[in-house]
């Protein structure tokens, strides 16, 4: 029933480097590109990174060079390694397949503040 479960967020200082995790259901993980999205009140949801079933990755300009998306096939888990965090990275981070979304998980809050 639950298809996407995010974790790993929290309060982090600027420049910090948390790693977010997304445990994905078998059906989605096996056949879909998975994206990391972030949502801030008053702003549209932003796709920040993605990884295909074959391991190809993509990044938004806003995070390129700072975030790294990867996956562990055995664990059906997609990761987002975040480095050099800025206050503007503060958001709720979600994972989902691209475009044809499954039900959204709860997300994980990342707050960047000194």
């Amino acid at each position: 029933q639950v298809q996407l479960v995010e974790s790993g967020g929290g309060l982090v200082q600027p420049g910090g480097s948390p790693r977010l995790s997304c445990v994905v259901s078998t059906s989605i993980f096996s056949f879909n590109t998975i994206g990391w999205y972030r949502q801030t009140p008053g702003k549209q949801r932003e796709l920040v990174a993605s990884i295909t079933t074959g391991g190809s990755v993509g990044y938004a300009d806003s995070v390129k060079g700072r975030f790294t998306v990867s996956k562990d096939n055995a664990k059906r888990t997609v990761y987002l390694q975040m480095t050099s965090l800025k206050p503007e990275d503060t958001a709720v981070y979600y994972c989902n397949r691209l475009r044809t979304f499954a039900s959204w998980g709860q997300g994980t809050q990342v707050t960047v503040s000194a």
Side-chain angles (χ1 to χ4, degrees), residues 68-112:
T68 302
V69 63
S70 62
K71 64 175 181 174
D72 184 325
N73 292 331
K75 296 181 178 180
R76 301 198 315 274
T77 301
V78 178
Y79 302 99
L80 187 66
Q81 178 66 66
M82 312 166 76
T83 63
S84 302
L85 283 181
K86 308 172 182 179
E88 51 262 47
D89 295 317
T90 295
V92 180
Y93 284 75
Y94 301 88
C95 56
N96 212 322
R97 60 191 182 195
L98 300 191
R99 289 191 173 273
T100 55
F101 303 125
S103 297
W104 294 92
Q106 290 186 319
T108 184
Q109 174 75 48
V110 175
T111 301
V112 184

Side-chain angles (χ1 to χ4, degrees), residues 5 10-11 33-34 36 53 59 65 70 75-76 82-83 89 105:
V5 181
L11 178 63
T33 297
I34 305 299
W36 280 100
T53 56
Y59 301 96
S70 62
K75 296 181 178 180
R76 301 198 315 274
M82 312 166 76
T83 63
D89 295 317

Side-chain angles (χ1 to χ4, degrees), residues 2-6 21-36 51 71-73 75-79 95-97 102:
V2 177
Q3 297 181 290
L4 302 158
V5 181
E6 302 93 344
S21 298
C22 172
V23 180
V24 187
S25 69
T26 301
S27 59
I28 294 177
F29 192 87
S30 297
F31 300 108
N32 296 104
T33 297
I34 305 299
W36 280 100
I51 185 165
K71 64 175 181 174
D72 184 325
N73 292 331
K75 296 181 178 180
R76 301 198 315 274
T77 301
V78 178
Y79 302 99
C95 56
N96 212 322
R97 60 191 182 195

Side-chain angles (χ1 to χ4, degrees), residues 31-47:
F31 300 108
N32 296 104
T33 297
I34 305 299
W36 280 100
Y37 300 81
R38 64 186 180 188
Q39 178 71 61
T40 300
K43 297 182 179 180
Q44 287 196 324
R45 182 175 55 240
E46 177 187 20
L47 175 65

